[in-house]
Amino acid sequence: MDNILLISNLILWVFVIGLTVLVFALTRQIGVLYERVAPAGALMMNKKLETGAPAPKVQVQDINSGNTLTVGETQNRSQLLFFLSPDCPVCKSLLPMLKSIKNAESDWLDVILASDGELQAHKDYIEQHNLSGDTYVSSEILGKQYAVSKLPYAVLIDDKGLIASLGLVNSREHFESLFESMERGIPSLQAYMAAASTPIIHDPQQA
Amino acid sequence: MLLTVLATISTLLLSYLFVVGGWQKLADLAYFQDVITEYRILPASWSPWLARALPIVEIGAGLALLVPALQLAALATVALLLAGYTFAMALNITRGRRDLDCGCAGPGQEQTISGWLLGRNLVLISLALLAVPALQQHSLGWAGWSLALLGTTVLALLYHVFNQLIANNNLLRRIARHG
């Protein structure tokens, strides 16, 4: 009997230590998870434009309808400029999302697809991706005025013609962050995280 | 017997915590120096000196806990150090500076000062004090020593779990503020 108790005790010790190791590993993983799920946002990297500043007004022509319109002149509606290129795979993957944004927010938002380069390439692209119902403009000046250096890039202009938010967008979260920052009046996720980072002293490696 | 085993567990645990904690502070002196300055209790010019002295005292006390002849003095030192840290944290909490980095471990741990840390330190202080009367009453046989070692291992692991949970809590609060 004594022997049984001794053996059972030993086994239990091994189990208890094993379980505490396991609990520690789990809490570590939860910590890592919390760090990872910190919100993703569109990277703002534009030296020319600032949020809150008036959007540059550029006259462009819609390839689909042939109408001319002025980017930056919003007439009580907001504009979402999406800069893309026919040979940018990420842009392609975002098109369905843009369509759903366009449909869902049509009462206050105009979505404008913008690119530059050869007209025929754009016409093929429109056909391929069924974009004939969208506003699609091709203008080199537009890209220059909005200082677009990397694609896909998006600029949200509010109903007063001011730049609400802008940035490199690669995913749904990035698009959401553009609308979010317009609602909250915070220029970018970087600005938000800089203001929210908690400890007064933090890891120099993370800084 | 039981009391002696428990006292040995407290002593071994405190020894482990202080040696490891002191080592982590020595490993990143510049960081620890900033932490001491940020506590804004002692003149900033003392920080470089304290940043070197405190970890050495911690490691010294941690090692002394293992030497029977020095145990009492070591326990007193440990309790005093902990009381000092607890006071410094409590003072800054009453100042409303809750997002101050506690500096308890290395720079990797995002642990800000909080009531939880005060509670943790109070538990450690009581461990140090409880160990005193039970010391050297019995000599432990091999069975007693194995029990003490196993118990210490579990408690040390639980201590790390507790710290991780506090750090997680801070991370979670930061995410929650987005919502």
Side-chain angles (χ1 to χ4, degrees), chain A residues 13 16-17 20-21 23-24 27-28 30-31 34-35 37 39 184 192-193 196-201 203 206, chain B residues 31 34-35 38 97 99 101 107 110 147 150-151 154 157-158 160-161 164-165 168 171-172 174-175 177-178:
Chain A
W13 271 113
V16 167
I17 292 179
T20 36
V21 170
V23 171
F24 179 63
T27 49
R28 279 292 303 173
I30 293 172
Y34 284 164
E35 260 172 75
V37 297
R184 294 185 180 222
Y192 185 83
M193 288 304 264
S197 77
T198 28
I200 293 178
I201 293 175
D203 189 357
Q206 287 175 357
Chain B
Y31 162 80
D34 286 345
V35 170
E38 266 310 322
R97 303 180 68 221
D99 43 4
D101 192 326
E110 289 206 45
L147 262 184
L150 287 167
V154 171
L157 283 166
L158 284 178
H160 289 301
V161 169
Q164 183 66 47
L165 283 176
N168 287 0
L171 286 169
L172 186 62
R174 191 159 70 171
I175 298 173
R177 258 185 284 177
H178 288 270

Side-chain angles (χ1 to χ4, degrees), chain B residues 57-70:
Chain B
V57 174
E58 284 188 13
I59 294 179
L63 292 176
L65 280 172
L66 303 176
V67 183
L70 301 174

Side-chain angles (χ1 to χ4, degrees), chain B residues 120-174:
Chain B
R120 184 197 69 181
N121 280 7
L122 290 178
V123 168
L124 291 178
I125 293 174
S126 13
L127 278 183
L129 298 180
L130 287 177
V132 175
L135 277 181
Q136 292 159 344
Q137 282 186 351
H138 298 271
S139 63
L140 294 173
W142 70 268
W145 271 106
S146 351
L147 262 184
L149 277 175
L150 287 167
T152 309
T153 313
V154 171
L155 281 186
L157 283 166
L158 284 178
Y159 175 84
H160 289 301
V161 169
F162 185 72
N163 276 345
Q164 183 66 47
L165 283 176
I166 295 179
N168 287 0
N169 191 29
N170 287 334
L171 286 169
L172 186 62
R173 270 214 313 263
R174 191 159 70 171

Side-chain angles (χ1 to χ4, degrees), chain A residues 12-193:
Chain A
L12 286 176
W13 271 113
V14 172
F15 283 4
V16 167
I17 292 179
L19 279 171
T20 36
V21 170
L22 207 75
V23 171
F24 179 63
L26 283 172
T27 49
R28 279 292 303 173
Q29 281 188 357
I30 293 172
V32 171
L33 195 67
Y34 284 164
E35 260 172 75
R36 296 256 169 94
V37 297
L43 181 64
M44 191 169 104
M45 31 160 234
N46 197 314
K47 294 195 173 73
K48 203 170 158 190
L49 297 182
E50 265 181 54
T51 54
K57 291 187 175 40
V58 183
Q59 210 166 50
V60 287
Q61 192 178 26
D62 183 1
I63 295 179
N64 287 320
S65 65
N67 297 337
T68 49
L69 63 142
T70 308
V71 171
E73 215 170 73
T74 47
Q75 291 157 350
N76 289 329
R77 285 171 67 79
S78 299
Q79 286 179 337
L80 176 68
L81 279 176
F82 181 67
F83 291 90
L84 55 81
S85 153
D87 47 40
C88 148
V90 185
C91 307
K92 197 163 69 185
S93 70
L94 294 177
L95 289 174
M97 198 153 25
L98 271 167
K99 282 198 176 158
S100 72
I101 290 175
K102 188 188 157 204
N103 293 332
E105 318 290 341
S106 59
D107 50 334
W108 63 277
L109 182 74
D110 292 322
V111 176
I112 301 169
L113 307 178
S115 190
D116 60 8
E118 235 182 293
L119 188 61
Q120 193 53 49
H122 295 306
K123 288 194 163 153
D124 293 345
Y125 192 68
I126 290 170
E127 198 168 334
Q128 222 177 348
H129 297 286
N130 210 4
L131 300 172
S132 50
D134 297 281
T135 312
Y136 192 115
V137 303
S138 171
S139 158
E140 208 167 308
I141 303 163
L142 185 64
K144 287 217 172 105
Q145 283 287 315
Y146 282 85
V148 175
S149 57
K150 284 210 169 113
L151 296 175
Y153 201 85
V155 180
L156 188 59
I157 302 169
D158 69 12
D159 51 4
K160 294 176 195 71
L162 307 176
I163 293 177
S165 54
L166 73 173
L168 194 66
V169 284
N170 278 322
S171 66
R172 166 180 290 278
E173 286 79 7
H174 293 169
F175 267 117
E176 280 168 1
S177 82
L178 291 180
F179 292 105
E180 186 87 343
S181 58
M182 176 162 93
E183 277 166 26
R184 294 185 180 222
I186 299 161
S188 70
L189 182 76
Q190 291 98 299
Y192 185 83
M193 288 304 264

Side-chain angles (χ1 to χ4, degrees), chain B:
Chain B
M1 173 74 180
L2 173 69
L3 273 181
T4 317
V5 171
L6 290 180
T8 312
I9 291 179
S10 321
T11 329
L12 288 179
L13 179 70
L14 288 168
S15 165
Y16 166 79
L17 297 183
F18 271 77
V19 171
V20 170
W23 183 258
Q24 279 170 335
K25 290 177 181 102
L26 271 188
D28 202 336
L29 270 181
Y31 162 80
F32 189 51
Q33 195 176 314
D34 286 345
V35 170
I36 296 178
T37 312
E38 266 310 322
Y39 266 89
R40 296 192 199 153
I41 290 172
L42 298 167
S45 56
W46 293 17
S47 303
W49 183 81
L50 272 176
R52 281 160 185 80
L54 283 176
I56 292 172
V57 174
E58 284 188 13
I59 294 179
L63 292 176
L65 280 172
L66 303 176
V67 183
L70 301 174
Q71 257 168 356
L72 259 181
L75 282 173
T77 315
V78 162
L80 275 178
L81 274 175
L82 284 169
Y85 293 156
T86 312
F87 170 75
M89 275 192 243
L91 190 63
N92 273 292
I93 289 178
T94 54
R95 284 174 179 169
R97 303 180 68 221
R98 277 178 176 269
D99 43 4
L100 181 66
D101 192 326
C102 100
C104 312
Q109 289 263 9
E110 289 206 45
Q111 239 181 30
T112 54
I113 56 176
S114 64
W116 286 103
L117 285 178
L118 294 184
R120 184 197 69 181
N121 280 7
L122 290 178
V123 168
L124 291 178
I125 293 174
S126 13
L127 278 183
L129 298 180
L130 287 177
V132 175
L135 277 181
Q136 292 159 344
Q137 282 186 351
H138 298 271
S139 63
L140 294 173
W142 70 268
W145 271 106
S146 351
L147 262 184
L149 277 175
L150 287 167
T152 309
T153 313
V154 171
L155 281 186
L157 283 166
L158 284 178
Y159 175 84
H160 289 301
V161 169
F162 185 72
N163 276 345
Q164 183 66 47
L165 283 176
I166 295 179
N168 287 0
N169 191 29
N170 287 334
L171 286 169
L172 186 62
R173 270 214 313 263
R174 191 159 70 171
I175 298 173
R177 258 185 284 177
H178 288 270

